[in-house]
């Protein structure tokens, strides 16, 4: 961190402390009491709600029990999300290098055979 | 209209119920949410012993690591190499090059000497969501781990996430993205933000039962669950938030795993950061618009608190901008507004302090995984002012746009590549 940034941060933390000092001098007891009452009530209400919510979630789990079987779904899409017809000309699961192109509304998956060019010789 | 009549109109408005409600919401909401997140994240941390046990080596399933990429020639090589270093017995790395105009594919090809590396070279650019959908079609694993092309995964990331999927209900697990280019104030602020806002919120949301987002930078999914919900939607500005909601709307469980680390690059200039945040804000609006239906049925009740929380934070951003504009107007006509003060008052300081406390809490919780994060905490003094202010404005404008604009699902959102990302610190 640059020295200038460090100085700015120290000044900002100093300003934060100075503002609290000012607030401390002008704040009345009712202000503090009101804030404390609000915060305590809010925390209490929230604690009750979150506890009830956790028990509600646990109750759902107890009622239904754990899901024991996995849904088995096959990806047998004929069209992709942009409504292109899917045409596979290679084994999608095992081919290492696949080229995907959209030709006349058909999304075509083909094996890509790369000839050694300047690009392919780039060291990664 | 005379100045006196403007003053009397303003005084009258400040007595109205609308103004009282707005100013109360403006003052109370941020403190309340800070408290809620800190308490609930504390409950989550206390319950951590309940995390799943590691699986025996022989039971670890095959995993497909998917890296979508668009014009990432500078970083893709190091990301793939880092992915290959993951300490896991059986996995493949699928790089999807989404019609890049640079040499992204050429950077990957030499790495294909390792048979675990596969390349899907798309000749037509269709956006990130479509790239990931195409990769899922080709993935061999039932579990897919998706990470950004500029990210570097921790070597134990898969071992940390996979055991969650032993539970058949789990559809996705969100990881813990960490910032690796903490080179300037903006990136350090984001590092603190990812711990204290994002990380803390996810921990809290896990206790509520539903998670806002499995971020695109690091997440693991059950493939059958992705297929069940129709994969990524290409028309959404934030396809990751949308997918997370779709999974949970179909009653899949989404979990958070703090020890699943991925080191990412974040924007280092305000311009790039602003573009990213406006997209996120618009995405939130789209997700709220798309998922309003969850109030039509009792069975989606577990998602409803999350929706209400998102709406409340959006309304707070609108209130913040309206109240600030109103106060500026009041001072410009010489009318000190009720409840407003150019120098922070008691409630102003309380908001500021609670925000800093939340940032400290998140930083402390994540220091277990990223000890260096504590070193950046001093910059958090900037967060509640400039950073928060810009975030609020972007939410106010762009979430509204996302809410009102019709979503065109046939018009994919193109990549928002941040080429002024920095380098590792």
């Amino acid at each position: 961190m640059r020295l200038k940034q460090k100085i700015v941060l120290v000044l900002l933390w100093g300003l934060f402390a100075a503002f609290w000092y000012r607030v401390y001098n002008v704040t009345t007891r009712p202000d503090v009491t009101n804030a404390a009452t609000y915060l305590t009530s809010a925390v209490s209400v929230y604690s009750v709600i979150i506890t009830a919510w956790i028990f509600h979630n646990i109750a759902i789990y107890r009622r239904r029990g754990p899901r024991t079987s996995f849904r088995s779904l096959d990806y047998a899409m004929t069209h992709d999300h942009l409504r292109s017809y899917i045409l596979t000309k290679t084994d999608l699961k095992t081919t290492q290098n696949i080229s995907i192109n959209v030709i006349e509304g058909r999304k075509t998956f083909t094996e890509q055979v790369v000839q050694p060019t300047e690009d392919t010789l780039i060291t990664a | 209209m005379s100045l006196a009549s403007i003053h009397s109109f303003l005084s009258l408005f400040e007595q109205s119920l609308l103004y009282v409600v707005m100013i109360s919401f403006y003052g109370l909401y941020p403190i309340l949410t800070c408290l809620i997140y800190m308490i609930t994240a504390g409950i989550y941390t206390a319950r951590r012993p309940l995390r799943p046990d590691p699986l025996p080596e022989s039971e670890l399933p095959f995993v497909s690591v998917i890296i979508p990429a668009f014009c990432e020639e500078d970083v893709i090589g190091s990301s793939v190499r880092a992915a290959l270093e993951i300490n896991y017995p059986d996995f493949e790395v699928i790089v999807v090059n989404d019609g890049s105009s640079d040499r992204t594919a050429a950077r990957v090809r030499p790495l294909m000497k390792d048979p675990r590396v596969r390349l899907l070279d798309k000749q037509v650019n269709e956006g990130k969501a479509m790239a990931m959908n195409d990769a899922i079609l080709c993935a061999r694993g039932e579990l897919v781990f998706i990470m950004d092309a500029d990210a570097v995964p921790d070597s134990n990331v898969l071992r940390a996430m996979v055991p969650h999927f032993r539970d058949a209900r789990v559809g996705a697990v969100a990881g813990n993205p960490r910032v690796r280019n903490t080179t300037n104030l903006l990136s350090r602020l984001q590092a603190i933000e990812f711990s204290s806002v994002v990380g803390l919120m996810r921990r809290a949301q896990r206790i509520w039962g539903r998670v806002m987002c499995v971020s695109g930078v690091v997440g693991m999914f059950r493939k059958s669950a992705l297929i069940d919900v129709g994969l990524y939607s290409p028309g959404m500005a934030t396809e990751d938030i949308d997918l997370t909601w779709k999974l949970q709307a179909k009653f899949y469980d989404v979990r958070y795993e703090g020890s699943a680390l991925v080191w990412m690059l974040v924007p280092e200039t305000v311009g790039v950061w602003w573009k990213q945040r406006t997209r996120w804000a618009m995405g939130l609006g789209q997700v709220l618009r798309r998922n309003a239906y969850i109030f039509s049925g009792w069975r989606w009740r577990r998602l409803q608190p999350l929706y209400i929380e998102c709406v409340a934070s959006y309304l707070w951003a609108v209130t913040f901008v309206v109240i600030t504009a109103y106060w500026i107007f009041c001072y410009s006509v010489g009318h000190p507004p009720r409840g407003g003060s150019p120098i922070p008052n008691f409630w102003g300081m309380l908001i500021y302090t609670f925000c800093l406390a939340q940032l400290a809490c998140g930083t402390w919780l994540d220091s277990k995984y990223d000890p260096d994060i504590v070193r950046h905490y001093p910059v958090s003094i900037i967060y509640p002012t400039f950073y928060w202010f810009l975030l609020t404005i972007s939410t106010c404008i762009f979430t509204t746009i996302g809410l009102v604009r019709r979503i065109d699902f046939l018009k994919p959102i193109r990549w928002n590549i941040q080429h002024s990302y920095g380098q590792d610190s």
Side-chain angles (χ1 to χ4, degrees):
Chain A
M1 201 185 289
R2 288 184 205 148
L3 182 65
K4 244 193 243 175
Q5 291 177 348
K6 282 182 183 166
I7 292 170
V8 169
L9 290 178
V10 169
L11 285 175
L12 285 171
W13 278 102
L15 199 63
F16 176 69
F19 277 139
W20 258 123
Y21 180 71
R22 178 192 165 272
V23 164
Y24 175 77
N25 286 320
V26 298
T27 305
T28 59
R29 187 169 283 274
D31 286 340
V32 179
T33 318
N34 287 344
T37 309
Y38 162 72
L39 294 176
T40 314
S41 334
V43 169
S44 310
V45 170
Y46 178 68
S47 302
V48 171
I49 293 172
I50 191 68
T51 308
W53 192 249
I54 289 170
F55 278 107
H56 165 257
N57 288 343
I58 292 171
I60 294 175
Y61 180 80
R62 285 208 179 126
R63 197 168 57 245
R64 298 206 172 159
R67 188 184 287 177
T68 49
S69 61
F70 299 94
R71 292 184 200 178
S72 176
L73 291 163
D74 234 0
Y75 195 161
M77 276 175 61
T78 53
H79 292 79
D80 73 2
H81 280 72
L82 302 179
R83 296 186 186 157
S84 292
Y85 174 73
I86 292 178
L87 182 65
T88 53
K89 292 185 174 177
T90 184
D91 184 347
L92 299 184
K93 307 285 183 202
T94 56
T95 309
Q96 194 181 20
N97 194 353
I98 297 174
S99 173
I100 305 171
N101 207 349
V102 181
I103 305 159
E104 294 173 353
R106 285 165 177 247
K107 179 170 275 185
T108 314
F109 291 73
T110 48
E111 180 168 10
Q112 188 172 52
V113 182
V114 180
Q115 299 300 322
T117 63
E118 190 188 337
D119 268 1
T120 58
L121 293 173
I122 289 172
T123 48
Chain B
M1 197 184 260
S2 70
L3 205 59
S5 58
I6 291 175
H7 282 204
S8 63
F9 174 77
L10 293 176
S11 300
L12 203 65
F13 173 65
E14 285 163 14
Q15 301 302 320
S16 70
L17 183 65
L18 175 67
Y19 184 78
V20 174
V21 168
M22 279 176 74
I23 204 164
S24 305
F25 182 55
Y26 175 70
L28 303 182
Y29 176 76
I31 296 179
L32 185 62
T33 47
C34 282
L35 273 169
I36 284 174
Y37 283 131
M38 285 191 287
I39 292 169
T40 323
I43 297 172
Y44 173 88
T45 308
R47 283 169 49 93
R48 279 302 279 165
L50 298 177
R51 66 188 294 185
D53 294 328
L55 288 171
E57 203 75 3
S58 57
E59 287 181 29
L60 290 171
F62 184 85
V63 175
S64 295
V65 175
I66 295 176
I67 308 177
F70 174 68
C71 294
E72 299 280 10
E73 62 173 0
D74 294 337
V75 290
I76 192 69
S78 55
S79 299
V80 175
R81 276 194 296 271
L84 291 170
E85 300 275 305
I86 291 175
N87 172 21
Y88 194 81
D90 206 8
F91 66 99
E92 63 179 352
V93 178
I94 303 176
V95 180
V96 204
N97 174 37
D98 190 24
S100 301
S101 52
D102 68 355
R103 296 190 289 185
T104 300
R107 296 285 180 196
V108 176
R109 283 196 188 101
L111 298 166
M112 291 168 71
K113 279 181 260 176
D114 187 323
R116 293 176 297 171
V117 180
R118 297 175 65 200
L119 174 66
L120 306 187
D121 197 8
K122 293 187 68 168
Q123 307 303 310
V124 182
N125 173 257
E126 292 183 309
K128 188 177 179 181
M130 290 300 291
M132 290 187 289
N133 288 348
D134 289 341
I136 291 162
L137 180 65
C138 300
R140 279 166 57 206
E142 171 56 15
L143 298 183
V144 290
F145 173 77
I146 298 178
M147 60 175 250
D148 274 357
D150 57 14
V152 171
D154 182 76
S155 62
N156 282 318
V157 69
L158 299 183
R159 287 178 186 272
M161 294 172 121
V162 164
H164 287 279
F165 289 90
R166 201 159 36 179
D167 183 342
R169 194 175 290 277
V170 174
V173 176
N176 186 357
R178 314 298 317 154
V179 175
R180 66 182 159 121
N181 59 324
T182 48
T183 50
N184 66 11
L185 277 183
L186 183 61
S187 55
R188 284 189 196 108
L189 271 169
Q190 289 170 86
I192 291 291
E193 182 190 30
F194 271 96
S195 287
S196 314
V197 182
V198 180
L200 204 73
M201 277 170 76
R202 288 204 184 126
R203 287 178 174 96
Q205 287 163 355
R206 266 309 300 160
I207 291 296
W208 297 343
R210 291 291 179 259
V211 170
M212 167 78 182
C213 177
V214 178
S215 150
V217 68
V218 51
M220 186 177 271
F221 302 88
R222 194 186 297 282
K223 193 165 70 177
S224 55
L226 291 178
I227 296 165
D228 193 20
V229 300
L231 304 176
Y232 287 95
S233 306
M236 302 294 283
T238 47
E239 70 290 327
D240 46 3
I241 305 180
D242 176 63
L243 181 74
T244 311
W245 283 63
K246 284 199 295 187
L247 285 167
Q248 295 175 121
K250 278 220 167 185
F251 312 106
Y252 285 101
D253 204 9
V254 174
R255 293 194 178 168
Y256 172 72
E257 179 51 64
S259 65
L261 307 177
V262 156
W263 300 88
M264 62 175 179
L265 297 174
V266 294
E268 289 186 335
T269 63
V270 175
V272 178
W273 173 84
W274 175 255
K275 258 181 110 173
Q276 183 192 55
R277 296 311 166 106
T278 54
R279 184 174 64 83
W280 290 1
M282 186 182 285
L284 175 66
Q286 288 182 327
V287 167
L288 291 178
R289 180 189 167 105
R290 195 179 189 188
N291 290 282
Y293 74 91
I294 61 169
F295 289 93
S296 66
W298 175 242
R299 63 200 189 116
W300 290 298
R301 63 191 176 281
R302 292 182 75 202
L303 259 178
Q304 291 166 2
L306 194 60
Y307 192 100
I308 292 167
E309 199 274 325
C310 291
V311 171
S313 66
Y314 163 66
L315 287 178
W316 186 82
V318 174
T319 309
F320 178 91
V321 171
V322 170
I323 290 273
T324 306
Y326 174 77
W327 284 352
I328 291 170
F329 175 74
C330 284
Y331 282 113
S332 72
V333 294
H335 170 85
R338 181 184 171 198
S341 163
I343 302 167
N345 56 18
F346 178 60
W347 273 104
M349 288 309 291
L350 270 187
I351 294 172
Y352 212 108
T353 307
F354 271 93
C355 178
L356 290 175
Q358 182 186 332
L359 297 175
C361 181
T363 305
W364 173 68
L365 287 177
D366 262 347
S367 64
K368 181 180 167 189
Y369 308 113
D370 178 10
D372 207 33
I373 191 72
V374 179
R375 214 162 50 86
H376 305 307
Y377 181 73
V379 302
S380 60
I381 190 73
I382 302 171
Y383 191 90
T385 46
F386 311 107
Y387 199 88
W388 214 2
F389 188 70
L390 288 175
L391 277 179
T392 309
I393 290 176
S394 78
T395 304
C396 190
I397 299 169
F398 291 93
T399 304
T400 309
I401 294 173
L403 270 169
V404 298
R405 191 185 282 172
R406 196 179 64 84
I407 306 165
D408 185 352
F409 291 103
L410 288 178
K411 190 179 171 197
I413 301 292
R414 301 296 174 181
W415 293 76
N416 185 22
I417 292 296
Q418 329 284 323
H419 281 298
S420 44
Y421 276 140
Q423 300 297 313
D424 293 0
S425 52

